[in-house]
Amino acid sequence: MDGTKRNDIKVGSRVLVVQKQDQRSGKLTEGIVSRILTNSPNHHHGIKVMLESGIVGRVKEIK
């Protein structure tokens, strides 16, 4: 499942995100969602979240 719809993402979900500096390379980082930062119901590049590790990125895939 892709991460473009806010309703699909819950705090505690395991996700793959792309960080701002990794957007060109497409490198994904896995983690657990601690906060959802995007307020709109959907976003074409992915919903922005903060992981428990403190990393901020846009969700590309929900595990």
Side-chain angles (χ1 to χ4, degrees):
M1 191 179 332
D2 69 353
T4 58
K5 293 185 178 68
R6 194 174 192 275
N7 284 345
D8 294 342
I9 301 165
K10 306 282 182 258
V11 171
S13 299
R14 181 171 293 278
V15 296
L16 291 171
V17 301
V18 63
Q19 297 178 64
K20 183 75 170 176
Q21 68 269 23
D22 294 332
Q23 283 177 343
R24 285 175 174 265
S25 68
K27 177 178 171 275
L28 298 177
T29 306
E30 188 170 339
I32 308 288
V33 176
S34 68
R35 287 180 58 203
I36 300 173
L37 304 176
T38 300
N39 289 323
S40 62
N42 49 44
H43 192 286
H44 59 285
H45 288 306
I47 299 298
K48 190 179 279 187
V49 298
M50 179 181 286
L51 303 179
E52 288 179 345
S53 59
I55 292 170
V56 173
R58 292 196 181 273
V59 177
K60 292 299 175 189
E61 187 180 325
I62 303 168
K63 295 290 226 172

